[in-house]
């Protein structure tokens, strides 16, 4: 099976390094679950999954419970995404006309599209929604006009307007996610979290100093993203069956491992790396946490496999504990601006 959500550091690619190593086990335990790529490859019958990110575990909990309103919200997002595309297509000619005629066409474009449109009750605050759409139209129209030349087609203009409207909707729900409007119920939180994760730029995580998530909309390439396909998968019987016997926790790894893992269990661990880039992260994982993890793994009776990026500090932590250590190369899949893809040496550490 495939993961349900895109997550930084997803481990599908690493499966090949560990698949022949995996021992027989009673229960599968994954303390740093994230997107759970290895879990979905293995499809264990009995499992404990855990992550310190509460939005993430709440999301899985809602899927496991097949919460009705959560699924209704996901379907609303899928419907709305398609409805907005259709609306824009229907009004293509007028959109181009407004774009060409006026200095500032954002309010006219908004009225053209939405004066007869009924916003569903699933939006949290229509006033905020309208402000966000107009604001995004304004900046998009200004920027598109700047770069318009003889190579710009009408279709380019329409797709940019579509991106502006969708960015406005995304920003509405980003405000909602950042609690700018009202507290959400857990099912609302789970659905909005998933929507934001799917449509934010390159699945990035970054928070400003007030703790607000601040990644913008993914852009034109996300206008036609097939969100419905993902919703169908999340709501599928296959996923339900897989999560049925899974216990979901939202704890720090240490207690979870020491209290829940027995000698019959198998733990797969993909913890955050030992790195200096911490400011984007709400749950920083420092050298003291790395040490705590190594100590916890020395104490557990369960079999484990740990995958981690090699640094001097990490090698030092693990080399004299009697574990088996192998290494492999990993290619990062996407560029962080200004940096090139690079090979990084990873360690595979296990105790059986
Ligand atoms: C590298 S990611 C895991 C990626 C995952 N293997 C996948 O395939 O998508 C590490 C995860 O550890 C979680 N985490 C960070 N600190 C933690 C802690 N102290 N206890 C438990 N989980 C933690 C993060 O929220 C993040 O989801």
């Amino acid at each position: 099976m495939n993961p349900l959500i895109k997550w930084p550091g997803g481990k599908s690619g690493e499966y090949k390094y560990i698949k022949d190593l995996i021992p027989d086990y009673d229960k599968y335990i994954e303390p740093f679950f994230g997107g759970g790529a290895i879990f979905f490859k293995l499809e264990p019958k009995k499992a404990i999954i855990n992550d310190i990110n509460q939005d993430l575990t709440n999301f899985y909990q809602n899927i496991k419970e097949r919460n009705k309103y959560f699924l209704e919200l996901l379907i609303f997002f899928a419907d709305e995404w398609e409805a907005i595309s259709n609306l824009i297509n229907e009004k293509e000619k007028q959109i181009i006309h407004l774009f060409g005629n006026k200095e500032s066409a954002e309010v006219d474009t908004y009225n053209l599209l939405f004066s007869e449109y009924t916003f569903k009750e699933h939006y949290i605050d229509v006033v905020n929604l309208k402000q966000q759409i107009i604001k995004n139209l304004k900046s998009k129209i200004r920027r598109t006009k700047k770069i318009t030349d003889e190579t710009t087609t009408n279709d380019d203009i329409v797709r940019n307007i579509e991106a502006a409207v969708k960015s406005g909707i995304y920003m509405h729900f980003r405000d909602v996610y950042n609690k700018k409007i009202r507290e959400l119920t857990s099912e609302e939180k789970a659905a909005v979290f998933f929507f934001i994760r799917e449509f934010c730029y390159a699945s990035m995580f970054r928070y400003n100093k007030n703790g607000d998530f601040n990644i913008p909309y993914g852009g034109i390439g996300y206008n036609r993203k097939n969100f419905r396909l993902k919703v169908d998968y999340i709501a599928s019987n296959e996923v339900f069956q897989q999560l049925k016997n899974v216990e979901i926790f939202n704890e720090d790894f240490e207690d979870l491992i020491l209290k829940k893992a027995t000698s019959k269990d198998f733990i797969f661990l993909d913890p955050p790396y030992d790195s200096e880039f911490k400011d984007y992260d709400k749950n920083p994982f420092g050298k003291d946490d790395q040490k705590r993890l190594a100590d916890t793994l020395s104490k557990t009776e369960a079999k484990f496999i740990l995958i981690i990026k090699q640094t001097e500090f990490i090698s030092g932590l693990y080399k004299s504990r009697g574990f088996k250590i192998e290494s492999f190369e990993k290619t990062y899949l996407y560029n962080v601006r200004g940096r090139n893809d690079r090979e990084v040496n990873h360690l595979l550490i296990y105790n059986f």
Side-chain angles (χ1 to χ4, degrees):
M1 289 174 73
N2 290 318
L4 308 178
I5 188 167
K6 274 195 285 176
W7 204 252
K11 283 295 175 295
S12 308
E14 279 75 354
Y15 178 62
K16 56 179 178 289
Y17 299 113
I18 65 167
K19 72 175 194 305
D20 295 331
L21 261 185
I22 293 168
D24 290 336
Y25 54 84
D26 182 21
K27 215 173 359 50
Y28 174 90
I29 303 180
E30 191 166 348
F32 303 95
F33 191 69
I38 301 294
F39 165 88
F40 286 106
K41 288 243 188 254
L42 293 176
E43 303 179 14
K45 292 206 170 56
K46 244 178 25 185
I48 288 180
I49 66 177
N50 176 74
D51 201 287
I52 206 157
N53 185 318
Q54 213 240 330
D55 289 333
L56 183 67
T57 54
N58 175 53
F59 166 71
Y60 290 121
Q61 196 66 46
N62 272 276
I63 297 173
K64 178 183 158 152
E65 288 165 10
R66 288 192 148 171
N67 181 288
K68 263 181 106 170
Y69 191 61
F70 163 71
L71 293 173
E72 183 181 319
L73 275 167
L74 292 187
I75 291 166
F76 151 74
F77 285 127
D79 288 346
E80 195 67 1
W81 215 242
E82 290 164 10
I84 297 293
S85 295
N86 294 339
L87 184 68
I88 303 248
N89 285 348
E90 273 165 35
K91 314 243 173 186
E92 227 173 64
K93 286 209 176 72
Q94 295 106 299
I95 289 174
I96 291 159
H97 181 73
L98 287 177
F99 180 84
N101 272 356
K102 291 266 179 91
E103 255 311 293
S104 147
E106 68 274 4
V107 174
D108 292 346
T109 305
Y110 179 89
N111 289 335
L112 166 74
L113 294 170
F114 297 113
S115 59
E116 286 166 24
Y117 193 83
T118 313
F119 287 116
K120 302 212 177 55
E121 74 279 11
H122 302 91
Y123 285 105
I124 305 292
D125 176 357
V126 175
V127 175
N128 171 279
L129 174 69
K130 178 173 177 180
Q131 282 168 351
Q132 284 293 7
I133 294 176
I134 290 180
K135 190 171 153 194
N136 280 272
L137 277 168
K138 186 172 178 180
S139 61
K140 189 60 137 186
I141 289 170
R142 185 165 31 83
R143 276 181 288 139
T144 309
K145 278 188 172 157
K146 250 192 208 155
I147 56 164
T148 295
D149 57 25
E150 62 281 358
T151 65
T152 310
T153 64
N154 282 348
D155 192 55
D156 293 336
I157 293 168
V158 175
R159 299 288 72 91
N160 271 295
I161 297 296
E162 182 178 359
V165 173
K166 291 192 164 179
S167 173
I169 295 172
Y170 168 88
M171 292 300 287
H172 166 64
F173 284 106
R174 196 180 85 176
D175 283 349
V176 167
Y177 174 67
N178 284 329
K179 303 194 182 71
K180 302 274 182 237
I181 298 169
R182 64 161 168 82
E183 285 293 321
L184 300 179
T185 62
S186 78
E187 61 253 64
E188 286 175 333
K189 242 189 236 168
V192 169
F193 170 70
F194 183 59
F195 174 78
I196 294 294
R197 294 296 323 143
E198 282 298 310
F199 287 102
C200 74
Y201 179 75
S203 315
M204 283 166 76
F205 266 106
R206 194 182 57 213
Y207 295 85
N208 66 18
K209 44 181 188 316
N210 302 324
D212 290 338
F213 178 71
N214 66 1
I215 301 292
Y217 173 56
I220 280 189
Y222 289 50
N223 285 352
R224 299 296 163 95
K225 194 170 183 172
N226 196 337
F227 189 74
R228 191 177 300 283
L229 209 63
K230 309 228 161 172
V231 175
D232 288 347
Y233 181 49
I234 282 175
S236 68
N237 195 42
E238 187 187 16
V239 167
F240 176 66
Q241 292 302 333
Q242 184 54 49
L243 291 186
K244 211 170 58 181
N245 298 319
V246 170
E247 291 181 83
I248 302 169
F249 292 93
N250 170 226
E251 290 180 15
D252 173 65
F253 67 87
E254 183 174 347
D255 263 9
L256 183 101
I257 293 173
L258 296 179
K259 296 199 175 135
K260 303 268 175 357
T262 73
S263 58
K264 292 183 188 147
D265 299 333
F266 166 58
I267 314 177
F268 172 70
L269 306 110
D270 175 25
Y273 295 158
D274 169 34
S275 86
E276 301 304 325
F277 304 102
K278 289 283 157 49
D279 37 331
Y280 60 87
D281 197 344
K282 266 198 166 166
N283 303 301
F285 201 85
K287 301 238 183 298
D288 46 337
D289 297 305
Q290 297 289 0
K291 168 137 194 334
R292 218 158 47 79
L293 176 60
D295 291 343
T296 306
L297 292 176
S298 290
K299 287 182 209 156
T300 187
E301 292 181 346
K303 294 185 175 129
F304 75 80
I305 297 179
L306 164 76
I307 287 185
I308 192 155
K309 192 177 103 178
Q310 198 254 323
T311 65
E312 226 170 279
F313 178 73
I314 294 294
S315 297
L317 260 187
Y318 284 95
K319 72 176 172 222
S320 52
R321 290 177 190 257
F323 300 147
K324 298 193 178 110
I325 305 184
E326 289 168 21
S327 65
F328 63 91
E329 302 278 299
K330 175 183 195 293
T331 304
Y332 274 105
L333 290 180
Y334 64 85
N335 282 323
V336 177
R337 205 177 300 157
R339 268 191 272 162
N340 285 323
D341 281 0
R342 57 199 176 122
E343 298 285 308
V344 179
N345 205 11
H346 276 63
L347 299 179
L348 193 69
I349 303 175
Y350 55 104
N351 67 345
F352 51 90

